[in-house]
Each structure stands twice: as C-alpha cells, then as structure tokens.
Amino acid sequence: MSVNDDNTVTTSAPVSITTKDACVDFPIFDAKSRSLKKTVMGLVGGNIDSAAKVPVIEALRDITVSLEHGARVGLVGHNGAGKSTLLRLLSGIYEPTRGIAEVRGRVAPVFDLGVGMDPEISGLENIMIRGLFLGMSRKQMDQRVDDIADFTELGDFLRMPLRTYSTGMRVRLALGVVTSIDPEILLLDEGIGAVDAAFLEKSKQRLVQLVERSGLLVFASHSDEFLRELCDTAIWMEHGQIKMQGELNEVLRAYKGLPA
Amino acid sequence: MALAQPAGRTYAAAVADLRRGWEQRTLWGHLGWQDIRQRYRRSVLGPVWITISMAVTAVALGILYSGLFDVPLERLLPHVLVGFIVWAFISGCITEGSEVFIANEGLIKHLPAPLSVHVYRLVWRQTLFFAHNLIVYLVMLLVFPQPLKWTVVYAVPAFFLLALNGAWVALAVGIITARFRDILPITQSVVQLAFFLTPIVWIYDELINSPNPAIAERARLAEFNPFLHFLEIIRRPLLGQDQQLRYWVVVLAITVVGWLFTMLVMRRYRSRVSYWV
C-alpha cells in the first residue's frame, strides 16, 4: 500500500514483466533482398536473414527474463545490440513474433524526451499532453503542473510556444514532466544531454526519487555512474541476445572484459 | 490495471485494444481538440475558417450547378450543402484513416498505447469538423427554410452510424496501408472518384425521374454506391424528406460486415502494426 500525493491509496498490485523465448523480427520491406544475399553478421546490429522474400532483421532472439516488483535492472551493450528494442518489447510496444511476453502494470516508457511534444503549443499545454500520454489523468496533471513549472525554472516562457525554446529548455520541460509521474513500470532509455551541470544535478535527484516511486525499473545506459546509482542488477545484450544476466557489478565487469 | 493485457493474435486482444483505447478518451479527446486548434493557430478567426470555407464552397457550387442543371437554387443549394458537410466527414475518415498509423509512427513506436486511440482521435476530430460545419447548415435553414418534421432526430442515429463506420474503415484501411503503402494513393483516388459518383452536387431523384428512360435506367446504378446510402440516411432527415428503409438496411449491413472484417484484420495484424510503421 502506498499513499500518493493526491491522497489516493493504491494497493500495489503485483507488477511484473515475464518473457519466455521472445523474438522480435523486423521485416524490411524497402530493402532489395537481392542485395543482401548472404546472412550478414557484423559486430553492430542483429542478424539479417535474407533467405525469406522480405529481408528480416532478427532484432531480438530468445529473450527470457522474469522481472518482479522492486527490480532495478540496468541494460548494457554496444550500439545496436538490442537495448532499445528490448525496452520496447518489455513495454509491450512490440509484441514478440515468437515466444511470450507478459507485462503486468502500467508502463511509463521514457525513450525519447521529445515524443508527443508539439512545437506550436505552449509549454504548459505540452506538460498536460505529455502527462496524458504517460497515462496520467487531467486532474493528476493539474496538481503537478506548479511543481513541474518550478522545477523547469522556465517562468513566463511556459506560456510561449515550444518552438521558441532552446534544446536545453525543451529537455528541462520534458524531464520535468517525466519525473513527476507515478509509474508502475518505468523504462528509461538514456538520452539526457544538453542541460547545464547545475540542472543535471537537480534532475538526477528527481530521477532517483522517480525510480524509488516506481515499482519496476529497466534502464538502458552507457554510463556506469548512472547505472550504479539507479540499478542493482543488469542485463548485457549482444547481437539481440542476452549475453549475461545478474548482479550489476559482475555484469559490468564482464562487459568491460575485466577479470571477475 | 494489474491484470496482464491479452496479447497475441486473438479476438480478446483485438477487443481489449478497442476497449482500452476507449478508456483513454481524456487523451484522444484532448488531442482531437488540439488538432483543430493547431490547424488554425495564429489565424485571427481560428476554427471559424472551417465553417467559412465550407459555406463558400457549398454556396458557390450550389449556384454553379443550379445554373448548369437548371434546378431552382432553393432546392439545389440545401442539397449540395448538406451533401458536402456529410461528405467532408466521410472522406475525412477514409483519407486520414488510410494514413492514421503511418502518420502516428512516432507515437506508436514510443508509447504502448492501444492502436484504437489514434482512430478514436481521428473520428473525434472529424466529428468536431462536422459540428463546425453544422453551423452553415443552421444558417442555411434561416435562408432556405426546409420542411423539417420530427424525423429530423433520425439524423442523430444516422451520424452515429457514420462515425461507427468511419472507425472501422480507418482501422482496417490504416492497418492495410501500414503494410502495403501502395494502397495509400489508391485510397485517395478512390475517394476522389467517389465524390463524383455520389449524389452530392447532382440530385439522384431528378435523374431517376428523368424523362429520358436511358438516363433513368443508368441512374439506378448509383444504388450500388455504398456512399449513396450513408449520405441519404442523414441528408433526408436534415432536409425534411421522407426516410427510405432500404438506405438504413444497407448501412446497417455494411456496419456489421465492416466491423466483422475489421475484427478479423485486427486479430491477425494488430500486433504487427508497430513493426510495419
């Protein structure tokens, strides 16, 4: 049981994500299959199977994870190893082409800070829309809007259309909204740049608080520091497969190729 | 929310998508309004432009065709006007429906929302357009009073049926075009062609009762045009004309068959859309 700031009591339902042998295959309709005669297996990206009429990228293969309430999972791996795709599988955006994926709980995916933001409308209106997209109600957002406005330090700019904002200001706004919600399952993809140092410190605190509020966290990042701060276990992705799953420091050591 | 949502290629998952989308009506309701305000942002008159442009088109075409076909203006103008308003809704649902998922690629790939959210938003937006256009209709009633009877209330269930059909068409066509992009221009052309095949600027009854038997015979072909039936169930009550049962029967039949087809498509391909867009 937890009491939210709007005094509604929510029984913490069992939040979990379970997948079993889940695969995600992307058909690439506009690639000429003739030019991809051989199965390409490079360091970067998943496997490309061109035996089929339409080339298929096997983005994820045989993913078996079982995450329960309280899990704090870091996601490491090279570019194109399948971290973002895995996050989308865990959020339910991609249903597995084979295998099973079951998501219990309300998912708040934060993959791209800008998604759902409209440059033509004001910052305040964007706060509302972004919140609704993240599964909040209008009332909940009305309660949070002052807090978000304070956090962003944007002042009167919040009444200006978003297109007048600098990149950093947009990030502030997006971070403000994203860190104000009460997610059951929080899926974070890194991509927090372009903010000044003082603000980064401030948002880190909020991020930590957000993670504490959430029932389950999966966080993809290249930053050891961030991972250590937010996670206790980790999954190492390579070529669309899980290479290793376990305690954070162990996985990080193996991933960096250091002796255990 | 604790229960896992049904997934995979089942009817349960397809129905759950529609239901969960409906539950998010605050979201798509807000977005639908936003779309309209957005389109006319920074213009002085704002969404009133929807009303004005409809009025200008309908009046101009009404005058033109009443001259061409030698039909009195007070008969043709209301006919053209209501036809246009209804057609704007129908064609909006189909043409925007054909790119509903392609246009929302970013949202689909970043947020695990039910697909139906995008469709509800579209139909809601078109409904708001329709409401703006109804103002033109009301003004027309002052200029050219129509012999309205109590039957005018039939326009409400008729519009409901239109919206219900708009939703399945957008879902089905949206899913198909997400996979086969060639369907997109085809749909747009078909809709454009359908405008001329549907009695919007011309009057079906005039042709049926034409003194030339050949024309009267040919006019009957219009019955095969499904849009004719959709148009008539709502235009007739709005102009105080008598209802005809067959139009309603055809529309109801299309609604049922259309939704059955759409549920089939949804069951099979709903989970593929995020891969295709």
Side-chain angles (χ1 to χ4, degrees), chain A residues 13-14 23-27 29 54 88 91-97 102-107 109 111-112 115-116 118 120-121 125 128-130 132-134 138 163, chain B residues 1-9 13 24 26-27 29-31 34 37-38 41-42 106-113 117-118 121 178-179 270-272 274-276:
Chain A
C23 301
V24 169
D25 299 332
F26 286 103
F29 297 113
V54 177
R88 283 181 174 72
S91 71
I93 291 172
Y94 294 140
E95 289 180 18
T97 20
E102 205 183 60
V103 183
R104 285 168 191 266
R106 194 157 45 89
V107 181
F111 302 150
D112 179 342
V115 70
D118 188 330
E120 291 300 323
I121 60 179
E125 285 173 285
M128 175 61 77
I129 289 200
R130 189 73 168 95
L132 290 175
F133 269 128
L134 287 167
R138 201 189 281 258
R163 68 188 143 80
Chain B
M1 284 305 289
L3 282 179
Q5 300 299 341
R9 299 183 167 183
Q24 295 195 11
T26 341
L27 175 63
H30 195 94
L31 290 171
Q34 197 68 59
R37 272 183 298 179
Q38 162 80 14
R41 196 158 286 261
R42 290 171 72 183
L107 293 177
I108 291 173
K109 283 195 174 162
H110 284 97
L111 298 163
V117 164
H118 308 290
R121 171 187 182 179
R179 169 66 183 83
R270 178 193 52 81
S271 59
R272 299 298 294 158
S274 56
Y275 287 81
W276 289 340

Side-chain angles (χ1 to χ4, degrees), chain A residues 110-114 171 175 188-195 219-221 226:
Chain A
V110 183
F111 302 150
D112 179 342
L113 288 172
V171 175
L175 267 178
L188 282 176
D189 207 343
E190 62 174 0
I192 304 151
V195 237
F219 177 42
S221 176
F226 245 148

Side-chain angles (χ1 to χ4, degrees), chain B:
Chain B
M1 284 305 289
L3 282 179
Q5 300 299 341
R9 299 183 167 183
T10 59
Y11 284 113
V15 173
D17 185 288
L18 293 174
R19 199 197 56 235
R20 282 166 52 227
W22 185 254
E23 283 165 2
Q24 295 195 11
R25 48 190 175 277
T26 341
L27 175 63
W28 52 258
H30 195 94
L31 290 171
W33 270 114
Q34 197 68 59
D35 289 337
I36 294 218
R37 272 183 298 179
Q38 162 80 14
R39 204 165 298 194
Y40 297 95
R41 196 158 286 261
R42 290 171 72 183
S43 76
V44 180
L45 293 177
V48 178
W49 277 115
I50 304 169
T51 315
I52 295 176
S53 60
M54 173 58 71
V56 170
T57 322
V59 170
L61 285 182
I63 294 171
L64 172 70
Y65 283 97
S66 91
L68 281 180
F69 294 151
D70 194 24
V71 180
L73 187 63
E74 62 268 28
R75 174 157 152 72
L76 192 75
L77 186 71
H79 178 87
V80 169
L81 184 80
V82 176
F84 245 100
I85 293 175
V86 176
W87 183 254
F89 181 83
I90 296 177
S91 68
C93 284
I94 302 175
T95 49
E96 289 186 16
S98 61
E99 41 191 358
V100 62
F101 299 127
I102 301 171
N104 285 306
E105 175 187 350
L107 293 177
I108 291 173
K109 283 195 174 162
H110 284 97
L111 298 163
L115 280 185
S116 56
V117 164
H118 308 290
V119 170
Y120 292 135
R121 171 187 182 179
L122 186 161
V123 176
W124 174 235
R125 177 173 64 231
Q126 290 299 332
T127 305
L128 291 173
F129 276 128
F130 184 81
H132 278 90
N133 288 332
L134 274 189
I135 300 170
V136 188
Y137 166 73
L138 293 175
V139 173
M140 179 213 79
L141 283 185
L142 295 178
V143 184
F144 298 109
Q146 298 296 311
L148 291 184
K149 290 172 292 206
W150 66 272
T151 49
V152 73
V153 297
Y154 274 114
V156 177
F159 181 76
F160 176 73
L161 279 173
L162 248 64
L164 205 59
N165 280 279
W168 78 253
V169 170
L171 259 176
V173 180
I175 291 176
I176 296 168
T177 47
R179 169 66 183 83
F180 300 102
R181 300 296 166 100
D182 302 88
I183 306 292
L184 188 63
I186 296 177
T187 316
Q188 319 266 4
S189 326
V190 168
V191 170
Q192 211 161 44
L193 188 63
F195 171 81
F196 295 102
L197 295 177
T198 311
I200 297 164
V201 289
W202 48 276
I203 300 180
Y204 182 44
D205 289 349
E206 296 271 318
L207 294 182
I208 288 273
N209 303 323
S210 162
N212 182 340
I215 288 182
E217 189 60 34
R218 257 177 270 157
R220 297 219 160 269
L221 288 174
E223 294 280 332
F224 289 105
N225 176 359
F227 297 112
L228 169 99
H229 303 273
F230 281 96
L231 189 58
E232 292 294 356
I233 61 166
I234 186 161
R235 182 164 59 190
R236 287 183 165 262
L238 285 178
L239 295 180
Q241 297 164 344
D242 289 329
Q243 297 280 343
Q244 295 205 18
L245 184 64
R246 74 169 186 286
Y247 297 134
W248 287 85
V249 172
V250 172
V251 167
L252 281 171
I254 292 177
T255 311
V256 171
V257 174
W259 268 107
L260 286 176
F261 167 72
T262 304
M263 288 317 282
L264 249 144
V265 175
M266 276 286 276
R267 181 184 82 99
R268 197 145 166 62
Y269 301 113
R270 178 193 52 81
S271 59
R272 299 298 294 158
V273 171
S274 56
Y275 287 81
W276 289 340
V277 289

Side-chain angles (χ1 to χ4, degrees), chain A:
Chain A
M1 296 265 279
S2 67
V3 181
N4 292 339
D5 49 0
D6 47 4
N7 289 324
T8 51
V9 181
T10 49
T11 29
S12 31
V15 175
S16 71
I17 302 178
T18 332
T19 68
K20 194 168 180 308
D21 300 327
C23 301
V24 169
D25 299 332
F26 286 103
I28 304 299
F29 297 113
D30 46 4
K32 290 271 175 290
S33 47
R34 269 152 297 174
S35 63
L36 293 164
K37 276 248 160 65
K38 282 175 283 183
T39 304
V40 185
M41 254 185 84
L43 183 68
V44 169
N47 301 325
I48 301 171
D49 175 11
S50 57
K53 213 160 45 179
V54 177
V56 168
I57 295 181
E58 296 181 345
L60 293 178
R61 250 188 311 149
D62 304 328
I63 301 293
T64 302
V65 295
S66 173
L67 308 176
E68 299 290 331
H69 190 274
R72 301 277 178 266
V73 188
L75 218 48
V76 295
H78 295 291
N79 295 120
K83 297 190 296 294
S84 298
T85 314
L86 180 59
L87 284 176
R88 283 181 174 72
L89 173 76
L90 299 181
S91 71
I93 291 172
Y94 294 140
E95 289 180 18
T97 20
R98 277 165 289 143
I100 304 165
E102 205 183 60
V103 183
R104 285 168 191 266
R106 194 157 45 89
V107 181
V110 183
F111 302 150
D112 179 342
L113 288 172
V115 70
M117 293 267 184
D118 188 330
E120 291 300 323
I121 60 179
S122 75
L124 285 174
E125 285 173 285
N126 266 304
I127 290 178
M128 175 61 77
I129 289 200
R130 189 73 168 95
L132 290 175
F133 269 128
L134 287 167
M136 307 297 285
S137 71
R138 201 189 281 258
K139 219 170 98 193
Q140 284 172 315
M141 286 316 289
D142 278 335
Q143 287 169 341
R144 284 166 169 74
V145 78
D146 287 334
D147 168 54
I148 297 170
D150 278 349
F151 169 72
T152 57
E153 299 169 347
L154 287 171
D156 287 341
F157 253 100
L158 284 174
R159 298 184 197 290
M160 296 282 135
L162 193 74
R163 68 188 143 80
T164 61
Y165 289 28
S166 71
T167 316
M169 288 161 79
R170 283 179 202 214
V171 175
R172 281 174 176 235
L173 188 74
L175 267 178
V177 183
V178 163
T179 52
S180 74
I181 57 169
D182 294 317
E184 290 181 340
I185 296 175
L186 179 63
L187 304 174
L188 282 176
D189 207 343
E190 62 174 0
I192 304 151
V195 237
D196 50 70
F199 190 77
L200 190 67
E201 201 46 49
K202 194 169 153 194
S203 58
K204 213 179 242 178
Q205 268 175 33
R206 267 178 85 102
L207 212 54
V208 171
Q209 285 163 5
L210 170 72
V211 167
E212 279 163 6
R213 282 202 302 277
S214 67
L216 200 165
L217 167 79
V218 184
F219 177 42
S221 176
H222 289 290
S223 151
D224 290 4
E225 189 201 345
F226 245 148
L227 284 168
R228 289 210 171 87
E229 204 152 341
L230 299 177
C231 309
D232 47 26
T233 56
I235 294 175
W236 172 12
M237 294 296 296
E238 199 170 272
H239 295 309
Q241 283 171 299
I242 294 180
K243 176 115 178 184
M244 189 178 169
Q245 209 174 155
E247 200 267 321
L248 176 71
N249 283 315
E250 259 175 60
V251 174
L252 277 181
R253 260 199 302 274
Y255 173 56
K256 307 258 166 201
L258 301 171

